[in-house]
Amino acid sequence: MKRCLIGLLLIFLTLIGLYTADAGLASRTIREAAEDIIKMFGKGAAGQTVEEVAEATAKAVAKYGDNALPLLRKTGHAGFTALDDAGEKAADLIQLYIRKGDDAIWLISDPKKVDLFLKHGDSAADAILKHPGIAEDLIPKFGDDAIGALNRISRENAQRLTMLAKDGVLNANKQSPALLPIIRKHGDEAMDFIWKNKGALTVATALGMFIAEPEVYISGTKDLVVEPVVSEMVKSIGWTKILVVVLVIAFLPCIVRSIKQARSIWKNQEEKARPTKSQASNKATSSAEKKV
């Protein structure tokens, strides 16, 4: 019986020793992490001490698990804020860091990028990391379609996509939003074609033809013909009015000369019809003689 009690006591003491050793090791690790954070990022806006950062780190590790510690070491005070703001989705941020490593640091440190990631998921993070400065502008406007498109195209084409968005090509008419899913499906080949034909694709007729069967245009099997659009434009022009204006302008000098000549003839005829002074005097004398 004594032997059993002694054995149990030894096991108990061993477990206590192991727990104490682990606790001490964990405390040292958290303390070291806090010191690294203060060294790299300073005391933060709140002017925290090492002890305060160590306490916050211990709470974060207790709440989110040991995997939070490497993230906090690399992101500092911004990492604490990001985890707190993420709430129930804090684990997603930690997994992002595990997946992307140090590449994810600048994303996690930026609240705007964090919001996009938490709203749209890993594919949004991939797009942001692949096309920094571009994805942040396009994703809020075009959502998941922009994310899918950006993840399929090169940096050069991502810049082109931004220019198309600014020029209004992606929302020129009701069918225009369908361009992004096509880029999402066919990648750089689709983007190259859209860029070369961006002018034609702002016209509803040409855009409709492309959306109906994009593969044949992207592969070069068919050419994007815009003649129907031109014909409609031609029909809508008032050619009769334009022709009248052109004729008036062309014959204006002749018309002016004709008017001047007519006025000159009329003036000469008027002057001929008007009696001269001598004729008027003779007429008056003749009238007086008749009276006598």
mmCIF file of all heavy atoms in Angstrom, residues 14-36:
data_model
loop_
_atom_site.group_PDB
_atom_site.id
_atom_site.type_symbol
_atom_site.label_atom_id
_atom_site.label_comp_id
_atom_site.label_asym_id
_atom_site.label_seq_id
_atom_site.Cartn_x
_atom_site.Cartn_y
_atom_site.Cartn_z
ATOM 1 N N THR A 14 6.118 14.732 -10.385
ATOM 2 C CA THR A 14 6.710 14.821 -11.722
ATOM 3 C C THR A 14 5.846 15.684 -12.648
ATOM 4 O O THR A 14 6.355 16.531 -13.391
ATOM 5 C CB THR A 14 6.865 13.422 -12.335
ATOM 6 O OG1 THR A 14 7.704 12.627 -11.470
ATOM 7 C CG2 THR A 14 7.490 13.512 -13.729
ATOM 8 N N LEU A 15 4.534 15.444 -12.571
ATOM 9 C CA LEU A 15 3.619 16.226 -13.403
ATOM 10 C C LEU A 15 3.658 17.705 -13.048
ATOM 11 O O LEU A 15 3.635 18.573 -13.926
ATOM 12 C CB LEU A 15 2.176 15.690 -13.250
ATOM 13 C CG LEU A 15 1.919 14.307 -13.859
ATOM 14 C CD1 LEU A 15 0.518 13.823 -13.498
ATOM 15 C CD2 LEU A 15 2.094 14.361 -15.375
ATOM 16 N N ILE A 16 3.728 17.980 -11.728
ATOM 17 C CA ILE A 16 3.824 19.378 -11.287
ATOM 18 C C ILE A 16 5.107 20.009 -11.811
ATOM 19 O O ILE A 16 5.125 21.158 -12.275
ATOM 20 C CB ILE A 16 3.757 19.472 -9.749
ATOM 21 C CG1 ILE A 16 2.357 19.108 -9.265
ATOM 22 C CG2 ILE A 16 4.140 20.875 -9.277
ATOM 23 C CD1 ILE A 16 2.230 19.082 -7.744
ATOM 24 N N GLY A 17 6.196 19.247 -11.749
ATOM 25 C CA GLY A 17 7.471 19.761 -12.231
ATOM 26 C C GLY A 17 7.432 20.052 -13.719
ATOM 27 O O GLY A 17 7.940 21.088 -14.178
ATOM 28 N N LEU A 18 6.829 19.114 -14.473
ATOM 29 C CA LEU A 18 6.732 19.316 -15.911
ATOM 30 C C LEU A 18 5.861 20.532 -16.233
ATOM 31 O O LEU A 18 6.184 21.332 -17.119
ATOM 32 C CB LEU A 18 6.141 18.066 -16.579
ATOM 33 C CG LEU A 18 7.045 16.820 -16.592
ATOM 34 C CD1 LEU A 18 6.275 15.620 -17.120
ATOM 35 C CD2 LEU A 18 8.287 17.077 -17.459
ATOM 36 N N TYR A 19 4.742 20.656 -15.512
ATOM 37 C CA TYR A 19 3.845 21.791 -15.748
ATOM 38 C C TYR A 19 4.534 23.110 -15.431
ATOM 39 O O TYR A 19 4.437 24.090 -16.176
ATOM 40 C CB TYR A 19 2.595 21.642 -14.869
ATOM 41 C CG TYR A 19 1.670 22.810 -14.954
ATOM 42 C CD1 TYR A 19 0.806 22.953 -16.045
ATOM 43 C CD2 TYR A 19 1.670 23.802 -13.964
ATOM 44 C CE1 TYR A 19 -0.043 24.041 -16.132
ATOM 45 C CE2 TYR A 19 0.821 24.891 -14.048
ATOM 46 C CZ TYR A 19 -0.033 25.004 -15.131
ATOM 47 O OH TYR A 19 -0.871 26.082 -15.218
ATOM 48 N N THR A 20 5.291 23.090 -14.287
ATOM 49 C CA THR A 20 6.009 24.310 -13.889
ATOM 50 C C THR A 20 7.073 24.668 -14.928
ATOM 51 O O THR A 20 7.258 25.840 -15.279
ATOM 52 C CB THR A 20 6.669 24.115 -12.518
ATOM 53 O OG1 THR A 20 5.661 23.750 -11.564
ATOM 54 C CG2 THR A 20 7.354 25.384 -12.059
ATOM 55 N N ALA A 21 7.762 23.637 -15.434
ATOM 56 C CA ALA A 21 8.805 23.872 -16.434
ATOM 57 C C ALA A 21 8.186 24.433 -17.715
ATOM 58 O O ALA A 21 8.715 25.387 -18.313
ATOM 59 C CB ALA A 21 9.549 22.571 -16.738
ATOM 60 N N ASP A 22 7.046 23.837 -18.124
ATOM 61 C CA ASP A 22 6.374 24.320 -19.332
ATOM 62 C C ASP A 22 5.882 25.748 -19.152
ATOM 63 O O ASP A 22 5.991 26.582 -20.065
ATOM 64 C CB ASP A 22 5.186 23.419 -19.672
ATOM 65 C CG ASP A 22 5.641 22.060 -20.208
ATOM 66 O OD1 ASP A 22 6.814 21.971 -20.620
ATOM 67 O OD2 ASP A 22 4.823 21.125 -20.205
ATOM 68 N N ALA A 23 5.341 26.003 -17.964
ATOM 69 C CA ALA A 23 4.834 27.350 -17.699
ATOM 70 C C ALA A 23 5.970 28.361 -17.721
ATOM 71 O O ALA A 23 5.840 29.470 -18.251
ATOM 72 C CB ALA A 23 4.111 27.384 -16.351
ATOM 73 N N GLY A 24 7.109 27.953 -17.147
ATOM 74 C CA GLY A 24 8.253 28.851 -17.129
ATOM 75 C C GLY A 24 8.770 29.110 -18.534
ATOM 76 O O GLY A 24 9.113 30.236 -18.895
ATOM 77 N N LEU A 25 8.807 28.026 -19.334
ATOM 78 C CA LEU A 25 9.261 28.166 -20.715
ATOM 79 C C LEU A 25 8.316 29.061 -21.506
ATOM 80 O O LEU A 25 8.756 29.933 -22.259
ATOM 81 C CB LEU A 25 9.347 26.778 -21.367
ATOM 82 C CG LEU A 25 9.802 26.751 -22.831
ATOM 83 C CD1 LEU A 25 11.207 27.329 -22.961
ATOM 84 C CD2 LEU A 25 9.766 25.319 -23.368
ATOM 85 N N ALA A 26 7.011 28.842 -21.295
ATOM 86 C CA ALA A 26 6.027 29.665 -21.996
ATOM 87 C C ALA A 26 6.153 31.124 -21.576
ATOM 88 O O ALA A 26 6.067 32.034 -22.428
ATOM 89 C CB ALA A 26 4.622 29.155 -21.703
ATOM 90 N N SER A 27 6.348 31.363 -20.333
ATOM 91 C CA SER A 27 6.505 32.738 -19.835
ATOM 92 C C SER A 27 7.722 33.399 -20.444
ATOM 93 O O SER A 27 7.670 34.575 -20.840
ATOM 94 C CB SER A 27 6.622 32.735 -18.310
ATOM 95 O OG SER A 27 5.443 32.232 -17.721
ATOM 96 N N ARG A 28 8.827 32.648 -20.521
ATOM 97 C CA ARG A 28 10.038 33.214 -21.118
ATOM 98 C C ARG A 28 9.825 33.516 -22.595
ATOM 99 O O ARG A 28 10.262 34.553 -23.105
ATOM 100 C CB ARG A 28 11.221 32.250 -20.938
ATOM 101 C CG ARG A 28 11.790 32.204 -19.528
ATOM 102 C CD ARG A 28 13.189 31.599 -19.519
ATOM 103 N NE ARG A 28 13.197 30.254 -20.060
ATOM 104 C CZ ARG A 28 12.943 29.153 -19.345
ATOM 105 N NH1 ARG A 28 12.626 29.264 -18.050
ATOM 106 N NH2 ARG A 28 13.000 27.962 -19.896
ATOM 107 N N THR A 29 9.142 32.617 -23.284
ATOM 108 C CA THR A 29 8.881 32.807 -24.717
ATOM 109 C C THR A 29 8.022 34.046 -24.954
ATOM 110 O O THR A 29 8.298 34.849 -25.858
ATOM 111 C CB THR A 29 8.167 31.572 -25.294
ATOM 112 O OG1 THR A 29 8.980 30.413 -25.075
ATOM 113 C CG2 THR A 29 7.918 31.752 -26.788
ATOM 114 N N ILE A 30 6.988 34.204 -24.126
ATOM 115 C CA ILE A 30 6.104 35.364 -24.258
ATOM 116 C C ILE A 30 6.853 36.649 -23.914
ATOM 117 O O ILE A 30 6.703 37.675 -24.581
ATOM 118 C CB ILE A 30 4.856 35.191 -23.367
ATOM 119 C CG1 ILE A 30 3.949 34.119 -23.970
ATOM 120 C CG2 ILE A 30 4.111 36.509 -23.209
ATOM 121 C CD1 ILE A 30 2.775 33.732 -23.118
ATOM 122 N N ARG A 31 7.686 36.570 -22.873
ATOM 123 C CA ARG A 31 8.492 37.737 -22.495
ATOM 124 C C ARG A 31 9.433 38.128 -23.628
ATOM 125 O O ARG A 31 9.572 39.318 -23.964
ATOM 126 C CB ARG A 31 9.285 37.415 -21.224
ATOM 127 C CG ARG A 31 10.285 38.467 -20.794
ATOM 128 C CD ARG A 31 9.614 39.610 -20.113
ATOM 129 N NE ARG A 31 10.570 40.658 -19.751
ATOM 130 C CZ ARG A 31 10.296 41.688 -18.969
ATOM 131 N NH1 ARG A 31 9.078 41.806 -18.449
ATOM 132 N NH2 ARG A 31 11.199 42.598 -18.690
ATOM 133 N N GLU A 32 10.075 37.150 -24.235
ATOM 134 C CA GLU A 32 10.992 37.422 -25.350
ATOM 135 C C GLU A 32 10.238 38.019 -26.540
ATOM 136 O O GLU A 32 10.739 38.933 -27.201
ATOM 137 C CB GLU A 32 11.701 36.131 -25.762
ATOM 138 C CG GLU A 32 12.720 35.641 -24.739
ATOM 139 C CD GLU A 32 13.251 34.260 -25.070
ATOM 140 O OE1 GLU A 32 12.774 33.680 -26.088
ATOM 141 O OE2 GLU A 32 14.118 33.753 -24.335
ATOM 142 N N ALA A 33 9.035 37.496 -26.801
ATOM 143 C CA ALA A 33 8.227 38.027 -27.899
ATOM 144 C C ALA A 33 7.866 39.482 -27.632
ATOM 145 O O ALA A 33 7.924 40.333 -28.535
ATOM 146 C CB ALA A 33 6.967 37.192 -28.065
ATOM 147 N N ALA A 34 7.506 39.797 -26.383
ATOM 148 C CA ALA A 34 7.162 41.170 -26.016
ATOM 149 C C ALA A 34 8.360 42.099 -26.188
ATOM 150 O O ALA A 34 8.226 43.227 -26.687
ATOM 151 C CB ALA A 34 6.653 41.210 -24.582
ATOM 152 N N GLU A 35 9.519 41.629 -25.809
ATOM 153 C CA GLU A 35 10.731 42.440 -25.957
ATOM 154 C C GLU A 35 11.038 42.689 -27.437
ATOM 155 O O GLU A 35 11.436 43.794 -27.826
ATOM 156 C CB GLU A 35 11.907 41.730 -25.279
ATOM 157 C CG GLU A 35 11.802 41.721 -23.748
ATOM 158 C CD GLU A 35 12.886 40.880 -23.102
ATOM 159 O OE1 GLU A 35 13.592 40.146 -23.835
ATOM 160 O OE2 GLU A 35 13.028 40.948 -21.859
ATOM 161 N N ASP A 36 10.837 41.652 -28.262
ATOM 162 C CA ASP A 36 11.065 41.805 -29.706
ATOM 163 C C ASP A 36 10.098 42.836 -30.296
ATOM 164 O O ASP A 36 10.477 43.652 -31.147
ATOM 165 C CB ASP A 36 10.880 40.468 -30.418
ATOM 166 C CG ASP A 36 12.009 39.487 -30.104
ATOM 167 O OD1 ASP A 36 13.074 39.953 -29.635
ATOM 168 O OD2 ASP A 36 11.824 38.279 -30.330
#
